[in-house]
Amino acid sequence: MMGNQQNILIKITNLLSKYRWQILTIFSLIIVSALFFPSGKTLQFAYKKDDIARETIIAPETFPILKPVEKLQEDLDEALKSEPALFIRSQEVVNSQIEIINSLFEKIEQIRESQTKVLASANNVFRERYEDGYADALSTFEADSINLNQLKLDFSESFSFDIETDLWKTILWDPDSDQFDYSLDKLKNDVVRISRSQWSEGIYDITKSEIISEEIMISQSDVPVLANPDDYNDLETAWTKARQEVSNLYPEDQTLLRESTYEIIVEVMLPNLLYDKETTERRREIKLNRVPRYQGTVLKDEKIVEKNTRITDDMLLKLKSLEAVQGKSDGLAGFWQLFTELLGKFILIGIIYSFFFTFLIIYRKETFLNIRLILLISILFAVTIVFAYLFYFQLEFSEYLIPVVVAAMSLTILFDARIGFMGASTIIILIGMMIGNNIDFIVVMLFSSSIAMYNVRQLRTRSQVFKTIFSLLGASALVVLAMGLFENAGWAEMRVDLLYLAIVSILAPILTYGLIGLFEIGFGVTTDLTLLELLDFNTPLLKRLQQEANGTFNHSVVVGNLAEGCADAIGAHSLLCRVGAYYHDIGKLKNPEYFIENQFAGENRHDSMTLTMSAKVIRNHVREGIALADEFGLPQAIKDFIATHHGTTRVEYFYRQALAEAKDTSEIDETIFRYPGPKPHTKETGILMICESIEAAVRSIKNPDIVKIEEMIDRITKKKLEEGQLDECPLTLDELRKIKGTVNGTTGMLPILRGIFHIRIEYPEDPKKAETVKSEN
């Protein structure tokens, strides 16, 4: 008994060790999902307006009724408006700006005087140009010019005026422009008077639109003053009023005077009502905290909802209030409640995910063993759960906008339709529970996802994007109509649901096709889109194969036809089989003339080589094919075909020649003549091994007929089985029978070979003739 327990423990330990990364990834997925999954009470009270109550709900305790969101927001806005924004009237700003105005005009006066000096010294240089005082005059001119330039530079750094404009050249008495003859003292007084006029009214340092309170408070002395926000101006308004005063002050023909005065006012007139943001927000926070969050009370044992009654707005409000109260618990009881709730969510989510991952373990074990693929699937699931939480609970969008269809299509394209359907079903059930056991959502999403997966299960053309969009639109209309008629819903509600589903129908295929490329690059997955690109005969490798090894190319194309037909016969990945067949012999590009199908001149290179060297050259085309695949970036799925298409079989022709020539056959090292492997490990690679061998063998038959070909197929298939070449491949005997096909059938390799060799079916006239034909073969 103890020994059995120890054996079981050892097996469990080995399994945990073998699948530790898969288990860790799935465990992380469950944790992420649990973090965004609502509590059980939330699910219990998850109703929408006009839903029918599943059970009678009695208040377990006395609790306050929360205000509706709209009413609470209205009260909060009212509280914000009732607290005046505080502004401080600053005399320091006024005094400082008046000093700046004085400084501005002093600098203008200094530049004017310097301009006069430069002009005088320039005239003096001209007069003294032939006299002894020329050098002194020139020195004085240069000194005056430097001083003028320094004054202008200082002016430009102190103010934002552009002194190169005609306006400022005139004001500064530039010699290239007319002189500004208006009194500077009078201009300064005009600027100060107009600025003081606006400061006396008051200028906000924020825009009026930023003031949300109904009143403002001006702090300018010991006693603050309450006022209407419109009693004062923001800076834009103050500038507008100042321009009006300037226009009234100067005649219309004094354009230069008007423009210069207004430009100086805009430069120097700053706000003198400074917003005290910190104090205002602190007072408003106090006001907001005093706003009641409740509007009544539900007493203990009071009936909230009666079974089979329609949910009203009032009932919904009470249920949300009860949910909020039951989500709050303090102390040890609260901790225990939180722990049990998380544990329950973890187990429940784990059970739902187990449906999908159990399917992978049983039917798609190669996918489960690939940790990158498990990580990809987990990311798809987790992202869908996060979007469900954000859309439904945070943004309060319709549940039909949750990107479940994108996840379903992605899984189908990246893997296959069965994984897509199981994954979509799992995530739909989980989200359906998450948003309140919403059976409508589950039905609609299952149907829509199934239609989408059906359309993308075999990607062959870009037009399938549009076909998927139209199919989803039709499916959405059908399911919304069906659910609406069944539930007796109004047309308005049905139109809203249909609008959301139409948005998803259009965006989901487009988003999916965009994401597939990222998944392929990030996780090394090979989709049908990539395979279709590799089918192009103009790809570099296939182009070289046509030109440098035409016989091998034709052989690969024929094998591709056979492999695709065989895959269709058993429901395997036919496109992958064809592409794998096209590239399986690319290693022969290294030495194409050493392979019989490329020897057209009658010369055989192997005649001048030893048998072991010939076998080495033949065997090396597998290794060189993998090297070429790496060089040209072929996907791993294609490299598997290159590596396994001969498995661990022998180069039989040279091996038998070596046996015939050897005096002692025990001296022959069989490993020299054996391919390195590995053996095929998928149905597709197993199909290629069989088709590759049969195609080559059938071509060697003299006067081929259907009986000879059928016997050749049986013999080669039997040999592969006896040698154990298909031991690691999940092909069954029934599938091998389907791969062979029948003469009169449409699937399998026999119908294809019949077409290649143009063989007519001949029926012997009597059993003796049939026996004679069989013995001749």
Side-chain angles (χ1 to χ4, degrees), residues 294-562:
Y294 308 107
Q295 59 170 25
T297 304
V298 174
L299 300 177
K300 182 179 180 181
D301 296 329
E302 181 180 339
K303 184 187 294 182
I304 302 174
V305 177
E306 188 171 356
K307 185 178 180 180
N308 297 329
T309 57
R310 189 181 294 274
I311 300 295
T312 63
D313 288 329
D314 183 56
M315 292 177 182
L316 271 179
L317 195 58
K318 291 179 180 179
L319 289 174
K320 288 183 178 179
S321 303
L322 177 58
E323 176 189 327
V325 169
Q326 294 204 337
K328 297 179 180 178
S329 296
D330 299 324
L332 186 60
F335 174 78
W336 178 250
Q337 178 183 340
L338 178 63
F339 173 76
T340 54
E341 180 181 308
L342 287 175
L343 180 62
K345 284 197 292 187
F346 188 86
I347 295 173
L348 178 62
I349 294 170
I351 290 171
I352 296 174
Y353 278 136
S354 70
F355 302 157
F356 176 75
F357 288 107
T358 302
F359 166 81
L360 284 187
I361 292 170
I362 297 174
Y363 298 104
R364 296 292 186 274
K365 194 167 185 179
E366 68 280 1
T367 301
F368 184 79
L369 293 175
N370 191 328
I371 182 58
R372 287 191 303 175
L373 300 184
I374 294 297
L375 180 61
L376 170 58
I377 292 170
S378 299
I379 289 174
L380 276 172
F381 281 176
V383 169
T384 308
I385 290 291
V386 171
F387 271 110
Y389 175 79
L390 291 175
F391 281 15
Y392 190 79
F393 293 102
Q394 296 298 313
L395 302 176
E396 297 185 353
F397 291 165
S398 169
E399 63 270 24
Y400 296 130
L401 291 178
I402 299 171
V404 173
V405 176
V406 174
M409 293 174 66
S410 298
L411 287 171
T412 303
I413 295 172
L414 292 168
F415 301 97
D416 58 51
R418 292 172 179 83
I419 290 179
F421 182 78
M422 285 300 299
S425 300
T426 301
I427 202 69
I428 289 169
I429 292 172
L430 193 61
I431 295 176
M433 293 181 60
M434 179 179 175
I435 62 177
N437 300 319
N438 192 329
I439 191 66
D440 290 4
F441 170 83
I442 293 174
V443 171
V444 170
M445 286 295 105
L446 277 176
F447 184 65
S448 299
S449 298
S450 299
I451 295 297
M453 289 184 289
Y454 178 80
N455 279 280
V456 300
R457 72 195 188 284
Q458 288 184 334
L459 280 180
R460 292 296 184 271
T461 61
R462 296 183 186 276
S463 62
Q464 285 180 262
V465 178
F466 303 102
K467 181 181 176 183
T468 305
I469 290 174
F470 291 125
S471 298
L472 281 173
L473 288 171
S476 300
L478 179 62
V479 73
V480 167
L481 178 63
M483 295 296 293
L485 294 175
F486 177 72
E487 296 176 352
N488 198 25
W491 289 105
E493 185 179 347
M494 291 166 63
R495 281 197 299 269
V496 172
D497 289 344
L498 185 58
L499 174 63
Y500 291 133
L501 287 171
I503 293 172
V504 171
S505 300
I506 295 170
L507 294 182
I510 298 172
L511 288 174
T512 302
Y513 276 73
L515 290 172
I516 290 303
L518 297 177
F519 291 142
E520 284 188 289
I521 296 171
F523 295 90
V525 182
T526 304
T527 66
D528 287 357
L529 296 173
T530 301
L531 295 176
L532 287 170
E533 292 173 359
L534 292 174
L535 273 182
D536 187 358
F537 285 162
N538 288 315
T539 56
L541 276 174
L542 292 184
K543 196 73 172 177
R544 281 186 58 189
L545 204 62
Q546 292 179 66
Q547 296 170 349
E548 301 173 26
N550 189 259
T552 301
F553 174 77
N554 290 324
H555 158 74
S556 299
V557 171
V558 174
V559 173
N561 291 333
L562 288 173

Side-chain angles (χ1 to χ4, degrees), residues 223-274:
V223 180
V225 177
L226 286 174
N228 190 302
D230 292 333
D231 293 344
Y232 302 92
N233 307 314
D234 55 18
L235 195 55
E236 291 284 349
T237 306
W239 285 343
T240 303
K241 289 186 174 182
R243 177 175 279 279
Q244 186 62 43
E245 284 195 53
V246 170
S247 299
N248 295 335
L249 181 61
Y250 303 120
E252 288 185 4
D253 58 346
Q254 296 290 333
T255 304
L256 183 65
L257 193 55
R258 285 184 172 190
E259 292 300 321
S260 59
T261 304
Y262 179 70
E263 189 165 335
I264 293 172
I265 288 173
V266 169
E267 175 74 17
V268 300
M269 190 173 68
L270 297 183
N272 66 325
L273 296 181
L274 308 181

Side-chain angles (χ1 to χ4, degrees), residues 681-704:
H681 54 273
T682 64
K683 290 184 179 182
E684 289 77 12
T685 52
I687 288 171
L688 179 67
M689 169 180 272
I690 296 170
C691 292
E692 205 268 348
S693 300
I694 289 173
E695 195 278 338
V698 168
R699 284 193 178 276
S700 67
I701 299 176
K702 295 180 180 179
N703 301 319

Side-chain angles (χ1 to χ4, degrees), residues 526-528 531 534-535 555-556 559-560 562-564 566-567 570 572-588 619 621-627 629 634-648 675-693 729 731:
T526 304
T527 66
D528 287 357
L531 295 176
L534 292 174
L535 273 182
H555 158 74
S556 299
V559 173
L562 288 173
E564 186 176 43
C566 294
I570 64 170
H573 198 327
S574 58
L575 180 60
L576 178 60
C577 282
R578 176 176 282 276
V579 177
Y582 280 9
Y583 289 87
H584 79 282
D585 266 345
I586 58 172
K588 293 181 179 179
R619 287 190 301 112
H621 86 274
V622 173
R623 178 177 56 82
E624 287 158 356
I626 293 173
L634 293 184
Q636 183 59 46
I638 305 303
K639 287 190 277 189
D640 288 344
F641 284 91
I642 299 172
T644 62
H645 74 277
H646 283 297
T648 58
Y675 286 98
K679 297 176 182 179
H681 54 273
T682 64
K683 290 184 179 182
E684 289 77 12
T685 52
I687 288 171
L688 179 67
M689 169 180 272
I690 296 170
C691 292
E692 205 268 348
S693 300
C729 169
L731 287 171

